Every structure is written in C-alpha cells, then in structure tokens.
Amino acid sequence: MRRTPLVRLLPLILLVAGSTFASGRASAASTPEASAILPISATAPLSVQINQVALDSRGPKIALVEARSALTQGHYRILRNAQQVGSGPLQALPAFSDWGTGLHYFAVDFSRHTEAGDYQIEVELDGQLATTPAVPVSDNALFTRTATQLLDYFRKSRNTSAADHRIRIFGTQRFVDVWGGWNDAGGDNGKYLSHLSYAHFFNPQQASLATWVLASTADQAPELYRQAGLETAVREEAFWGADYLHRILDRQGYFYLTVFDKWGTDNAERVVTGFEGIDGVYTKNYKSSFRAGGGMAIAALARAALLARHTGQHGQYTAASYLADAERAFAHLQKHNRDYCSDGEENIIDDYTALMAAVELHHATRQPRYLAAARLRAASLSARLKPGGYFTSDQADRPFYHGVEAGLPIISLAYYQAIETDAGLRAQAQLTIATALEQQLALNREVANPYNYARQIFRTFEQGKLSGELQRGFFMPHVNETGYWWQGESARLSSLSTAALLGGRISHADAAGPYGVHQDLAEFAQNQVDWTLGRNPYGMTMLYGYGQRNPPHAESAGTMLVGGISNGITGAQDSPTGAGIEFSPGPDENQWRWVEQWLPHSAWMLFNATAMAPAPKPSHEPARTASPSPSR
C-alpha cells in the first residue's frame, strides 16, 4: 500500500481495456487517464447504479437511481437478455444530501427475478431515460465470475526477486532468507505482515491474511474450487504463502514484520524492519505481535498444515513443518506478545487475531490448551462490545473502527463458536455476534442511507489525543492516530459482508432468507459487495477488468492487474472526519489513496465470494475439521 508520493521504480503494466478474456469471466472496462472524477449525478440529470460484475440468482438485487428532477414519480423496466420481464413505478427513498444537494433517490428491487441471464434496468423520469450496464445473474455468480482472476492476481503479484534470499535485519549484521511472498500493492514491492504498528489500533492483516484466506477456503470448500477448475491454482497459491511465512519465522519464534525499502526510492536498502510515518523511517521494531500479522500467520500455517494433510500436497515445506512453525510461534507470542506491541499493551486486534490462531491450532491438533487460549480471547472480545453500538479497541473507551478488517472480530467469534464444546460459552459467542450485527444494521439505519453503506463510530485524534465526542460517519476519519493514513475501504466492506454471512448463519440459525441469513443481513452483505463492484455514485467498478468503468491509470498507483481491487471511494480530502465523498481528485502523487490495488482487497473479496456460494455436493472428499465453512 503506497504511503507517500515517491518516484516509482516498478514497471507500469496497464492491461488494455476493451479486450475480452478467454475465460469469459471478465468484461471490457474503460481506463481513463487520472483526472478529477465526479459522481455521475454531477454531470447527468438521471443515472442508475448497479453491481456491474455479478448478482446471485438467490440474492438481493437492487439498482439505485439518482435524479436531479423535481418530479418524484417515474417508472422502470427490467430487461433480461434485452427482453422486458418486469416493470413498475420507482420507489422513492428518504432525502439524502451528504454526498450532493438537489438529488432524489429511488430503488429498483428485482430480487424476485431468479432466472439466469444478463439483466439491465431502464428508468424513465421527467422525460429523461437511463439504462444500466448489463449484469449477469446466475447461481454462485460472484465466485464463478471472479475467482479465476482473483487467484491470477495473487500469482501475478508474487515477489520472486533473488535478492530477497539474503536480506539484512535492520540494526544488525545478520542476514536472512525472506524470499517469496507477494508484492503488497500495485506501487509497492515491499512485503508486510502488517504496517502502521506505531499507531497501535490500525494494524491491517496483509500477507498472513491472504495466505489464511487461500488455505482456509481451499481446505473448507474444495468442491467449489474443483467445479470451477481452480483446485490446483488455489492450493499452489496457499502453499506459496505458507512457504513465505515459514521463511520469515525467526529461529527465536517471532515473525519478521516487514521487508521494506522505503517504497523503492532514494536507493534505500531493502531490509527486515519496522517503519513509521509517511517518511517510512526504519525502526528496530521488526518482531510481529499477534496484531501485527503474527496471529494470522499462525492461523494461516495451521490451516496450511490441514490443507496439506487433507490433500497429500504441500509447497516447498511439509504439513508437519507448517504445523510445527505455527505451534512454536504461538508459544512464543503467548510469552512475548506485549514486548512486541508498539505501546506495550494488547488491544482488540490482538484479541481477534490470537483467537483465530488458537482456533486454527485447535483444528489442527485437537489439543485442549488451544481451546483454553481461544476461550480467554473470546471472553475478552465479547467484553469489548458496548451498548453504544461498538467494540472498544483499548482498555478504556476508544471505539474500534478499521479501514480494512472491521468484520474480523465477528468472523473470529464465528470460527471460535464452531470449536466450543461448552453450551454456555457457545451461547455467549452467539449473543455477541448477534448483538454486533444488529448494532451495525441499526447504525446504518440511523440516517438516510440510500446505498446501505456500512457506517462506523469513531473519535477523531486531535493534538495528540482522542476527542471526547463519539462521532458517526460513512468513511474512515482522515484525522487519526497514524498521522496520515486513510484510503478507500474496499477490504473493509468485504470483511463486513463476510461477517454478516458467517455471523448471520450463527445468530439466526433458522433464517430462511438469501444466503441462509436474515433478509436484512443478506441485503447488507450484498450491498457492501455491490458498492465495490459498481453500485456507487461514480458507477465505478473497483475490481479491475470488470464492468463498464474502472479506476483510472495513475503513476503513483503503479501496476494495474486484472483481478486486483483498488482502494476505492473516501470522504472529502478537506474533511477531518471523512465527511462528504471523493474519488481520484488528483494530483497524481496522491492517487494511490483511491486507485492503487492492494493485497487485502482481493483476499477479502475471494473470502467474501466463497461465503456467498452454497457448498456444492462433494464427489469424494476426506473429512474436514468442523469450522464455519465459507460456503454453506
């Protein structure tokens, strides 16, 4: 993830739009040069926004109409394969002016149309006519249409530089082999378990999360990949990630935090290090805590061990090696985690990442000590949920908000609930999940919210301390403890969508709605995906190579790969709280905030796609350990 506007050394690879792909899974998309991009409503009196990539036959299907007309009545037509299959009056939504004045919003719900085909919504209002791009509707639509290119994005993002076989650890004269892994982003060939550690509460899970998603979904939904012809591809990528995690596990038992060269500028030495701030200052804080990627690295290695055990396949290292790594690292962090935390204190990210580590180790070993460790973390996580509608990040009252993985607390509890043998503790986890999901839905409903965008609760960080007043908004506040870091939230949205699906199947086990969850949760889950895939005020599909309109090329964003997902839309640059809305306003050196592709975005989307897909009937598959399968 690009942090600062520096000259790029990576080659810029702009995949030409306007082509079709042999797999038939991606459609042409335009890629204009970087310039200020306005919401479509700023230039068109009438527009209709829709998910431009894929809608599931069984799932919610809602198009959003934006109009500058004074009239409040209009009509729509539903077209399938260019033939009308439905029509009706537009449904007016409550007035909403946060992202532009003078706009009227309407919804077109065509969820009842389940027959496969290419759908368009045509709208007429006040003499104006607007039609959406065609969106394919089918069973397992999101996975079927995106999984091939999402996996290809990981393969094309592999870092194979021979120089990484011998890299110095900053502050020492010790050299280590950290070969492999993935480039972090389009403009960044650094490799990170996590960054922003110095800011305490903003650690995103990066390479370790990607490895875990690949290994977990490959192990838990093998038939889904098999039917798509992707079983070999996903296993190879999962083991590629696991092999890298093996290499960056120090002999003492900690993982190296980053392999970093100041974003490839000023001939900076490439080293194992921690770093701080917009200038990328090297530090000796290179040992990963649970929250700084260590917890998810353990979870990934434990699940890779299971995958290798179940399939008889592995990467350069074996199932026994992956599991031994995971157990050694967990034992080390149980003793030393606070030593590696930037402030010497654990917070919510330590809780949910350590919980994932303990759960996956229990799956792999069935050892009671890992269930005991999971229980402690789950209890701490549940205790953080406040009646005000948020988890607390610290031991006081800082709200948990996160630009990348806001859904991971709920997901970790869903995975824990699957291994818990005590009925009372299972019930507590279920209650926490249900309460957290309902509070998220309630937060969304507090204000007019035509896109059903996931809102968040936060405090701004002013003059070195948090402000006292709780605030609510759509986008991440730009004034925060990092001092500079805010960007589009494609990963956050997919994480919350996945949380609604996995958590919703636990909180409402008897729900008969789409995707096996309550109708409100199904709509919330779908709407977050829809935003990333084109149903947003810019009509922009963040998944590159799909849809009618993609993010522009920008030098500061670097390489653009089909299957990569751009950061996305933010609040206005001049708003400390992230109010308003903005995308790619320029100049070029700042474009990374919106345009750059980032590893966690594609990882979360792949996880999201497997969670939306029903589990296919297996042909012949060995028994799996019990866990909340991403597919039902």
Side-chain angles (χ1 to χ4, degrees):
M1 176 67 69
R2 194 59 165 178
R3 322 288 190 259
T4 184
L6 300 172
V7 177
R8 198 147 313 269
L9 296 182
L10 290 175
L12 300 178
I13 305 172
L14 182 61
L15 297 175
V16 178
S19 62
T20 57
F21 302 99
S23 67
R25 300 179 191 276
S27 60
S30 60
T31 54
E33 290 299 312
S35 61
I37 295 177
L38 300 174
I40 291 177
S41 60
T43 57
L46 181 68
S47 63
V48 193
Q49 310 305 343
I50 196 171
N51 177 325
Q52 299 174 25
V53 176
L55 287 169
D56 198 282
S57 299
R58 305 154 297 125
K61 295 179 277 292
I62 302 173
L64 224 290
V65 181
E66 295 183 338
R68 292 196 170 275
S69 169
L71 299 180
T72 58
Q73 292 185 341
H75 292 81
Y76 67 84
R77 295 198 309 143
I78 302 169
L79 308 177
R80 182 178 67 240
N81 301 332
Q83 300 297 314
Q84 181 172 324
V85 294
S87 63
L90 291 175
Q91 175 190 353
L93 298 176
F96 177 73
S97 58
D98 288 34
W99 300 338
T101 58
L103 289 173
H104 299 280
Y105 293 88
F106 306 85
V108 178
D109 189 337
F110 60 110
S111 302
R112 66 184 181 88
H113 292 270
T114 60
E115 186 174 340
D118 291 336
Y119 283 74
Q120 292 176 281
I121 305 300
E122 184 180 85
V123 171
E124 184 175 3
L125 178 69
D126 196 16
Q128 300 289 330
L129 188 69
T131 306
T132 68
V135 56
V137 170
S138 64
D139 292 341
N140 289 3
L142 184 60
F143 183 86
T144 301
R145 286 191 54 81
T146 66
T148 294
Q149 301 298 350
L150 289 171
L151 288 175
D152 196 50
Y153 165 78
F154 288 107
R155 177 171 288 277
K156 290 179 178 176
S157 296
R158 287 183 178 187
N159 186 300
T160 57
S161 170
D164 281 5
H165 279 299
R166 191 173 186 272
I167 293 290
R168 187 172 69 91
I169 296 179
F170 179 68
T172 77
Q173 287 305 308
R174 186 155 72 94
F175 289 78
V176 291
D177 182 356
V178 293
W179 185 82
W182 299 283
N183 294 328
D184 186 60
D188 189 353
N189 67 351
K191 299 183 292 194
Y192 311 91
L193 288 190
S194 184
H195 75 282
L196 303 175
S197 294
Y198 69 93
H200 313 323
F201 305 106
F202 286 85
N203 287 105
Q205 310 309 303
Q206 292 166 252
S208 51
L209 172 88
T211 304
W212 178 77
V213 165
L214 290 160
S216 178
T217 60
D219 189 49
Q220 294 176 259
E223 194 67 19
L224 193 63
Y225 285 103
R226 184 176 298 128
Q227 291 184 6
L230 297 172
E231 194 175 26
T232 297
V234 69
R235 289 176 183 176
E236 287 180 349
E237 219 54 43
F239 293 137
W240 175 268
D243 287 346
Y244 175 69
L245 296 180
H246 172 88
R247 294 187 196 99
I248 64 170
L249 178 62
D250 190 85
R251 56 183 178 242
Q252 293 185 34
Y254 60 82
F255 293 97
Y256 303 138
L257 182 62
T258 71
V259 178
F260 182 59
D261 58 5
K262 294 193 176 183
W263 306 289
T265 58
D266 301 329
N267 297 315
E269 181 187 6
R270 187 170 175 86
V271 292
V272 170
T273 184
F275 65 89
E276 295 184 4
I278 194 169
D279 296 321
V281 176
Y282 290 162
T283 75
K284 294 181 180 179
N285 299 324
Y286 53 79
K287 301 175 182 179
S288 294
S289 59
F290 278 122
R291 71 179 180 236
M296 290 308 298
I298 293 165
L301 284 164
R303 184 53 69 169
L306 282 170
L307 178 63
R309 188 187 303 167
H310 289 151
T311 62
Q313 300 173 359
H314 56 82
Q316 183 175 345
Y317 307 104
T318 65
S321 179
Y322 298 144
L323 184 55
D325 288 346
E327 292 203 86
R328 181 160 62 95
F330 189 80
H332 184 83
L333 283 181
Q334 286 286 80
K335 294 180 181 179
H336 297 288
N337 189 57
R338 283 182 174 81
D339 298 337
Y340 305 155
C341 290
S342 51
D343 54 358
E345 299 289 339
E346 292 188 335
N347 65 42
I348 189 173
I349 309 179
D350 293 284
D351 277 347
Y352 63 69
T353 55
L355 178 56
M356 289 300 302
V359 166
E360 292 292 55
L361 279 169
H362 184 268
H363 280 313
T365 68
R366 299 299 184 184
Q367 291 295 319
R369 66 178 179 273
Y370 296 123
L371 178 57
R375 284 172 171 168
L376 291 175
R377 292 294 181 174
S380 178
L381 199 50
S382 289
R384 293 181 183 278
L385 187 61
K386 300 301 180 184
Y390 57 92
F391 287 99
T392 56
S393 290
D394 56 12
Q395 303 308 315
D397 196 34
R398 181 196 183 277
F400 171 68
Y401 66 97
H402 203 291
V404 182
E405 59 201 42
L408 201 41
I410 294 171
I411 292 168
S412 69
L413 285 170
Y415 271 76
Y416 158 72
Q417 197 261 1
I419 70 164
E420 183 52 74
T421 56
D422 182 279
L425 295 177
R426 282 174 59 87
Q428 178 58 62
Q430 183 176 354
L431 177 61
T432 301
I433 291 167
T435 304
L437 289 173
E438 180 51 46
Q439 288 180 342
Q440 179 66 65
L441 295 180
L443 181 62
N444 292 353
R445 293 190 295 256
E446 281 183 350
V447 298
N449 187 359
Y451 285 94
N452 196 19
Y453 190 91
R455 298 175 71 233
Q456 47 199 313
I457 297 174
F458 56 88
R459 288 192 172 97
T460 56
F461 192 72
E462 302 168 2
Q463 297 180 340
K465 63 181 180 180
L466 286 173
S467 64
E469 181 182 358
L470 283 177
Q471 300 188 57
R472 291 162 162 80
F474 290 100
F475 300 111
M476 180 175 167
H478 299 174
V479 176
N480 57 61
E481 291 99 323
T482 70
Y484 76 98
W485 196 79
W486 52 270
Q487 76 302 315
E489 302 170 13
S490 295
R492 182 180 85 94
L493 299 181
S494 278
S495 81
L496 286 168
S497 175
T498 307
L501 297 171
L502 299 186
R505 291 168 194 155
I506 292 171
S507 64
H508 298 80
D510 58 348
Y515 307 132
V517 299
H518 189 275
Q519 180 69 35
D520 288 348
L521 285 174
E523 290 185 2
F524 171 78
Q526 184 68 59
N527 293 162
Q528 308 320 301
V529 172
D530 288 349
W531 178 276
T532 300
L533 301 184
R535 201 193 75 149
N536 57 63
Y538 296 85
M540 185 79 69
T541 308
M542 302 301 161
L543 177 59
Y544 195 81
Y546 288 77
Q548 189 177 60
R549 191 185 195 198
N550 283 169
H553 165 65
E555 185 174 349
S556 68
T559 304
M560 301 292 276
L561 295 172
V562 170
I565 297 176
S566 292
N567 290 330
I569 298 162
T570 70
Q573 286 193 92
D574 60 359
S575 171
T577 62
I581 192 168
E582 199 153 50
F583 183 80
S584 188
D588 185 278
E589 63 263 25
N590 292 329
Q591 295 293 78
W592 64 269
R593 293 192 187 275
W594 299 273
V595 174
E596 190 174 28
Q597 296 176 345
W598 193 30
L599 198 67
H601 298 320
S602 291
W604 274 113
M605 183 61 75
L606 181 63
F607 193 22
N608 203 168
T610 60
M612 279 188 166
K617 294 180 180 179
S619 51
H620 58 281
E621 196 61 34
R624 299 291 187 225
T625 55
S627 58
S629 173
S631 58
R632 289 184 292 121

PDB file of all heavy atoms in Angstrom, residues 9 79 149 228 240 312 456:
ATOM      1  N   LEU A   9       9.632   2.887  -9.091  1.00  0.00           N
ATOM      2  CA  LEU A   9      10.636   2.114  -9.804  1.00  0.00           C
ATOM      3  C   LEU A   9      10.056   0.874 -10.465  1.00  0.00           C
ATOM      4  O   LEU A   9      10.676   0.295 -11.353  1.00  0.00           O
ATOM      5  CB  LEU A   9      11.749   1.679  -8.835  1.00  0.00           C
ATOM      6  CG  LEU A   9      12.554   2.827  -8.214  1.00  0.00           C
ATOM      7  CD1 LEU A   9      13.648   2.252  -7.334  1.00  0.00           C
ATOM      8  CD2 LEU A   9      13.164   3.702  -9.301  1.00  0.00           C
ATOM      9  N   LEU A  79     -35.039  -5.638 -17.916  1.00  0.00           N
ATOM     10  CA  LEU A  79     -34.729  -6.353 -19.152  1.00  0.00           C
ATOM     11  C   LEU A  79     -33.833  -7.549 -18.828  1.00  0.00           C
ATOM     12  O   LEU A  79     -32.853  -7.415 -18.074  1.00  0.00           O
ATOM     13  CB  LEU A  79     -34.016  -5.435 -20.140  1.00  0.00           C
ATOM     14  CG  LEU A  79     -34.686  -4.089 -20.452  1.00  0.00           C
ATOM     15  CD1 LEU A  79     -33.813  -3.279 -21.398  1.00  0.00           C
ATOM     16  CD2 LEU A  79     -36.068  -4.295 -21.042  1.00  0.00           C
ATOM     17  N   GLN A 149      -9.836 -14.772 -11.853  1.00  0.00           N
ATOM     18  CA  GLN A 149      -8.995 -13.575 -11.950  1.00  0.00           C
ATOM     19  C   GLN A 149      -8.471 -13.143 -10.590  1.00  0.00           C
ATOM     20  O   GLN A 149      -7.360 -12.588 -10.500  1.00  0.00           O
ATOM     21  CB  GLN A 149      -9.777 -12.441 -12.621  1.00  0.00           C
ATOM     22  CG  GLN A 149     -10.272 -12.763 -14.025  1.00  0.00           C
ATOM     23  CD  GLN A 149      -9.141 -13.038 -15.002  1.00  0.00           C
ATOM     24  OE1 GLN A 149      -7.980 -12.812 -14.702  1.00  0.00           O
ATOM     25  NE2 GLN A 149      -9.482 -13.540 -16.182  1.00  0.00           N
ATOM     26  N   ALA A 228     -14.959 -25.284 -10.451  1.00  0.00           N
ATOM     27  CA  ALA A 228     -14.532 -24.138 -11.261  1.00  0.00           C
ATOM     28  C   ALA A 228     -13.198 -24.396 -11.953  1.00  0.00           C
ATOM     29  O   ALA A 228     -12.688 -23.516 -12.664  1.00  0.00           O
ATOM     30  CB  ALA A 228     -14.427 -22.893 -10.381  1.00  0.00           C
ATOM     31  N   TRP A 240       2.279 -21.297  -1.561  1.00  0.00           N
ATOM     32  CA  TRP A 240       3.254 -20.227  -1.823  1.00  0.00           C
ATOM     33  C   TRP A 240       3.296 -19.273  -0.627  1.00  0.00           C
ATOM     34  O   TRP A 240       4.381 -18.898  -0.151  1.00  0.00           O
ATOM     35  CB  TRP A 240       2.876 -19.473  -3.091  1.00  0.00           C
ATOM     36  CG  TRP A 240       3.741 -18.270  -3.383  1.00  0.00           C
ATOM     37  CD1 TRP A 240       3.503 -16.976  -3.002  1.00  0.00           C
ATOM     38  CD2 TRP A 240       4.980 -18.256  -4.095  1.00  0.00           C
ATOM     39  NE1 TRP A 240       4.516 -16.147  -3.440  1.00  0.00           N
ATOM     40  CE2 TRP A 240       5.442 -16.916  -4.116  1.00  0.00           C
ATOM     41  CE3 TRP A 240       5.740 -19.240  -4.723  1.00  0.00           C
ATOM     42  CZ2 TRP A 240       6.621 -16.542  -4.738  1.00  0.00           C
ATOM     43  CZ3 TRP A 240       6.935 -18.858  -5.351  1.00  0.00           C
ATOM     44  CH2 TRP A 240       7.355 -17.526  -5.346  1.00  0.00           C
ATOM     45  N   GLY A 312      -2.605 -34.344   0.681  1.00  0.00           N
ATOM     46  CA  GLY A 312      -1.363 -35.021   0.358  1.00  0.00           C
ATOM     47  C   GLY A 312      -0.420 -34.181  -0.465  1.00  0.00           C
ATOM     48  O   GLY A 312       0.575 -34.677  -0.999  1.00  0.00           O
ATOM     49  N   GLN A 456     -19.731   3.843  10.512  1.00  0.00           N
ATOM     50  CA  GLN A 456     -18.827   3.490  11.603  1.00  0.00           C
ATOM     51  C   GLN A 456     -18.829   4.560  12.683  1.00  0.00           C
ATOM     52  O   GLN A 456     -19.170   5.719  12.433  1.00  0.00           O
ATOM     53  CB  GLN A 456     -17.421   3.235  11.082  1.00  0.00           C
ATOM     54  CG  GLN A 456     -16.883   4.284  10.122  1.00  0.00           C
ATOM     55  CD  GLN A 456     -15.716   3.766   9.300  1.00  0.00           C
ATOM     56  OE1 GLN A 456     -14.787   3.152   9.807  1.00  0.00           O
ATOM     57  NE2 GLN A 456     -15.747   4.008   7.993  1.00  0.00           N
TER      58      GLN A 456
END
